[in-house]
């Protein structure tokens, strides 16, 4: 009952779907060429989007451990350090820990290549310091915090490690804009490709359309098989784009990991996630549907 | 069934195809529209099928005024009509059966029921044994009968035919006449545009005579 029941309930949709599949299969070369064009058009913005999304996740991760180092003056004593500590407790900027100058020297001695330098020092030149982990606050907040710390007594230097993260942030914003523009451009191209494919099909089926309308076919009935065709072609183009993006991701993964490892960053580029994959195929289908819709509507308006 | 009131159709070049035509056609009537070519028969046919709209006047089919019909309502009006065109408008890319199935797929009839009805219609016009054939392989008379089968498969109460026996030999034309008569006998309203004298001799029907867009001697 299920199969025949479906075709009984929606015989027109079922017939339209069948006709769409038949048309796709009836000219495999044309279909293949269309899919290559649609796939390539979708692949570029899709790849940009997937990569950008990964970078954004990565940027969020690193800005999540944003640090502000507050260095005391070298002649500051225990009282001054206690004063800063109490002020920090009041300001409550997140986690912090105190690094005593002796501790800092010890860690310098343990750092490879620095042991000789440390041993050659007559006295400890390092100051007491506080390392503040300000949580996932925005760059502006961090800057304000740093300004505040700088104004406190016996603080010699405040170092905020957010400059490069702001650069990354700005870069990602430009990247997002570029991907959006690219996506709009290629979405237009995809709609145009579908529009033209459907236009040629309509011309080939002008007789059937004319007769169907004369014997009572609604515009929706005329549009339906073309809409399914456009959506199906777009979805298949999306799948093709997806395989391209996954391929690019796979090809880039190893060299990118090596490059990033040189900067001491653990980051795996990888391919699209499942929701991203679904979105790429879905967008392909929606744009294909749109192209078909526009194409048939223009034709129907022209023939009156 | 059909009510025309002062219907005028003027084309952009200023040609008046119909001038102030008025007539009534009752349910179950058989009416012939005659006249020389260019008299306005085909224009009247196109108005009745809502392919075109009158320039002025009103023309009601099944109680719906064609002149004021919404675009979206036209398909539903046409589904209640059986239309037989002068050039038949068969689809040559599909079988005889598939041609007759087209109107049923448009109204969304389930496949099994549609095939049953299509075969019944083909049977009525004597083409049941040709259901797998391609229309191009049919004779002129058979093609016209196929066009009739497609027009009646939705069981319309009004059948409109434009020159259904033009270009047919007299034997084929005679078969067509018999088919129309059988529909008339079961109560279908029949409006046939023709200049074929054979019809008049066979039926002595009511005749609407058109001449240069005007209606002459309507005895009714």
């Amino acid at each position: 009952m299920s199969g025949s029941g479906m075709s009984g309930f929606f015989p027109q949709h079922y017939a339209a779907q069948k006709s769409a599949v038949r048309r796709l299969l009836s000219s495999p070369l044309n279909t293949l060429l269309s899919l290559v064009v649609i796939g390539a058009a979708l692949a570029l913005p899709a790849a940009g989007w997937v990569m950008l999304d990964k970078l954004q996740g990565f940027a969020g991760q690193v800005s999540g451990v944003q640090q502000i180092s507050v260095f005391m003056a070298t002649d500051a004593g225990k009282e001054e350090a206690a004063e800063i500590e109490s002020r920090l407790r009041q300001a409550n900027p997140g986690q912090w820990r105190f690094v005593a100058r002796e501790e800092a020297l010890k860690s310098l001695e343990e750092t490879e290549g620095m042991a000789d330098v440390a041993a050659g020092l007559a006295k400890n030149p390092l100051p007491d310091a506080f390392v503040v982990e300000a949580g996932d606050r925005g760059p502006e907040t961090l800057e304000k915090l740093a300004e505040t710390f700088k104004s406190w007594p016996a603080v010699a230097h405040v170092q905020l490690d957010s400059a490069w993260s702001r650069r990354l942030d700005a870069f990602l914003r430009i990247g997002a804009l570029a991907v959006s523009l690219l996506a709009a451009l290629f979405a237009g191209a995809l709609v145009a490709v579908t529009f033209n494919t459907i236009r040629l099909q309509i011309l080939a089926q002008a007789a059937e359309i004319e007769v169907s309308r004369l014997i009572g076919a609604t515009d929706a009935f005329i549009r339906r098989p073309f809409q399914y065709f456009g959506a199906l072609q777009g979805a298949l183009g999306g799948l093709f784009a997806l395989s391209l993006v996954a391929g690019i991701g796979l090809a880039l993964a190893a060299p990118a990991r090596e490059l990033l490892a040189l900067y001491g960053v653990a980051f795996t580029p990888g391919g699209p996630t499942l929701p991203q994959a679904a979105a790429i195929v879905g967008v392909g289908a929606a744009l294909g549907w749109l192209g078909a819709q526009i194409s048939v509507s223009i034709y129907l308006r022209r023939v009156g | 069934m059909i009510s025309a009131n002062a219907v005028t159709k003027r084309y952009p070049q200023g040609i008046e195809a119909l001038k102030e035509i008025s007539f009534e056609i009752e349910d179950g009537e058989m009416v012939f529209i005659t006249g020389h070519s260019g008299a306005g028969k085909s224009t009247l046919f196109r108005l009745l099928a809502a392919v075109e709209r009158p320039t002025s006047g009103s023309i009601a089919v099944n109680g719906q005024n064609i002149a004021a019909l919404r675009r979206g309502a036209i398909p539903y009006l046409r589904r209640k009509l059986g239309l037989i065109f002068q050039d038949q408008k068969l689809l040559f890319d599909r079988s005889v059966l598939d041609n007759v199935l087209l109107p049923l797929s448009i109204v969304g009839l389930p496949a099994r029921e549609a095939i049953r009805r299509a075969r019944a219609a083909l049977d009525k016009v004597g083409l049941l044994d040709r259901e797998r054939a391609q229309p191009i392989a049919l004779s002129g008379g058979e093609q016209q009968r196929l066009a009739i089968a497609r027009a009646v498969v939705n069981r319309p109460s009004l059948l409109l035919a434009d020159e259904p026996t033009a270009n047919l030999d007299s034997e084929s034309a005679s078969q067509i006449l018999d088919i129309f008569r059988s529909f008339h006998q079961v109560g279908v309203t029949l409006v046939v545009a023709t200049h074929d004298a054979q019809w008049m001799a066979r039926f002595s029907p009511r005749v609407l005579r058109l001449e240069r867009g005007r209606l002459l001697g309507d005895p009714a």
Side-chain angles (χ1 to χ4, degrees):
Chain A
M1 190 62 208
S2 62
S4 68
M6 278 299 285
S7 67
F9 264 124
F10 305 108
Q12 295 179 319
H13 284 269
Y14 180 65
Q17 287 157 9
K18 262 205 325 205
S19 131
V21 172
R22 200 167 43 230
R23 268 182 233 163
L24 265 179
L25 296 178
S26 70
S27 51
L29 185 65
N30 278 342
T31 301
L32 195 69
L33 289 175
S34 299
L35 292 187
V36 168
V37 172
I38 293 171
L42 275 172
L44 210 53
W49 176 50
V50 168
M51 263 187 243
L52 206 62
D53 190 61
K54 289 253 189 290
L55 279 174
Q56 267 161 352
F58 171 65
Q61 244 173 49
V62 292
S63 70
V65 292
Q66 198 63 254
Q67 287 186 347
I68 305 174
S69 306
V70 181
F71 298 101
M72 307 293 294
T74 40
D75 57 356
K78 291 291 165 217
E79 301 86 58
E80 281 90 348
E83 166 67 15
I84 297 299
E85 180 138 29
S86 85
R87 286 192 184 220
L88 275 173
R89 197 168 293 124
Q90 228 167 23
N92 194 26
Q95 300 270 317
W96 74 84
R97 80 194 143 80
F98 178 66
V99 183
R101 47 193 310 197
E102 298 79 21
E103 195 186 329
L105 184 64
K106 219 168 110 196
S107 101
L108 183 68
E109 282 166 355
E110 283 164 4
T111 306
E112 204 178 289
M114 297 302 277
D116 295 343
V117 179
L121 291 170
K123 64 185 201 58
N124 186 356
L126 298 173
D128 288 331
F130 290 91
V131 176
V132 179
E133 291 187 2
D136 56 349
R137 298 173 192 216
E140 289 84 9
T141 320
L142 292 174
E143 211 123 316
K144 223 171 277 170
L145 272 175
E147 285 303 314
T148 312
F149 297 159
K150 220 173 269 180
S151 69
W152 289 352
V155 170
H157 181 65
V158 175
Q159 188 173 324
L160 175 59
D161 295 332
S162 73
W164 74 272
S165 101
R166 295 187 73 174
R167 265 178 234 136
L168 178 63
D169 223 49
F171 167 77
L172 286 179
R173 263 201 295 271
I174 291 173
L177 187 66
V179 166
S180 305
L181 289 175
L182 213 61
L185 194 69
F186 282 97
L190 198 155
V191 170
V193 166
T194 314
F195 176 91
N196 198 45
T197 312
I198 298 291
R199 192 181 61 86
L200 296 175
Q201 281 189 12
I202 289 172
L203 292 181
Q205 285 173 279
E208 179 180 355
I209 293 173
E210 187 206 353
V211 172
S212 299
R213 299 184 80 215
L214 280 173
I215 60 183
T218 57
D219 288 355
F221 178 88
I222 302 291
R223 272 195 210 107
R224 207 169 286 132
F226 296 109
Q227 287 167 336
Y228 276 120
F229 181 94
L232 186 62
Q233 186 179 259
L236 289 175
L239 276 178
F240 184 58
L242 200 57
S243 62
L244 286 177
V245 173
I248 292 169
L250 217 62
L252 284 183
R257 205 179 297 121
E258 266 172 49
L259 175 70
L260 289 168
L262 291 178
Y263 288 89
V265 176
F267 172 60
T268 315
T273 62
L274 201 62
Q276 284 174 336
I280 291 168
V281 174
V283 164
L287 292 174
W289 185 92
L290 183 67
Q293 170 76 15
I294 296 172
S295 196
V296 185
S297 294
I298 287 178
Y299 177 79
L300 288 178
R301 198 164 310 147
R302 195 159 53 78
V303 296
Chain B
M1 176 74 35
I2 296 174
S3 173
N5 195 3
V7 173
T8 296
K9 179 66 187 179
R10 198 178 299 116
Y11 287 105
Q13 298 86 358
I15 301 157
E16 276 204 329
L18 292 174
K19 296 170 192 167
E20 303 265 319
I21 302 260
S22 298
F23 62 87
E24 299 271 334
I25 294 174
E26 303 295 326
D27 277 11
E29 259 196 290
M30 172 154 59
V31 176
F32 287 9
I33 299 167
T34 67
H36 298 291
S37 56
K41 298 191 300 290
S42 291
T43 300
L44 186 54
F45 178 85
R46 284 200 294 274
L47 290 181
L48 290 171
V51 175
E52 292 175 359
R53 287 163 195 261
T55 310
S56 66
S58 73
I59 182 162
V61 177
N62 269 329
Q64 287 183 289
N65 185 3
I66 303 282
L69 209 57
R70 280 187 310 110
R71 188 175 187 277
I74 291 173
Y76 300 96
L77 173 85
R78 290 200 184 133
R79 288 176 193 185
K80 294 180 198 145
L81 309 178
L83 296 178
I84 298 157
F85 307 94
Q86 192 166 4
D87 57 354
Q88 295 163 347
K89 298 196 185 297
L90 299 176
L91 295 176
F92 289 95
D93 63 348
R94 64 198 68 194
S95 71
V96 163
L97 182 67
D98 284 339
N99 266 275
V100 183
L101 282 171
L102 185 62
L104 301 175
S105 79
I106 285 170
V107 299
L109 209 65
R112 197 175 305 167
E113 170 71 2
I115 288 173
R116 200 185 61 72
R117 293 247 301 253
R119 289 205 171 119
L122 282 173
D123 193 28
K124 266 184 220 158
V125 300
L127 284 177
L128 190 51
D129 56 337
R130 307 298 307 272
E131 71 169 51
R132 294 270 147 242
Q134 294 296 311
I136 198 75
L138 302 181
S139 71
E142 285 173 327
Q143 289 186 359
Q144 189 58 272
R145 282 187 273 147
L146 172 56
I148 294 171
R150 189 183 64 193
V152 301
V153 74
N154 260 334
R155 300 170 185 161
S157 52
L158 172 61
L159 203 55
L160 297 174
D162 190 11
E163 300 284 2
T165 55
N167 315 318
L168 291 187
D169 60 75
S170 64
E171 197 197 321
S172 300
S174 178
Q175 285 177 328
I176 304 286
L177 297 190
D178 288 337
I179 291 167
F180 277 127
R181 181 154 54 193
S182 69
F183 286 123
H184 177 54
Q185 278 163 358
V186 297
V188 175
T189 309
L190 220 66
V191 177
V192 183
T194 183
H195 59 255
D196 191 337
Q198 217 192 142
W199 292 85
M200 316 304 156
R202 284 278 283 278
F203 295 109
S204 52
R206 177 183 167 199
V207 176
L208 297 176
R209 200 176 305 279
L210 282 171
E211 200 174 295
R212 289 184 207 164
R214 288 189 192 283
L215 201 55
L216 304 177
D218 177 12

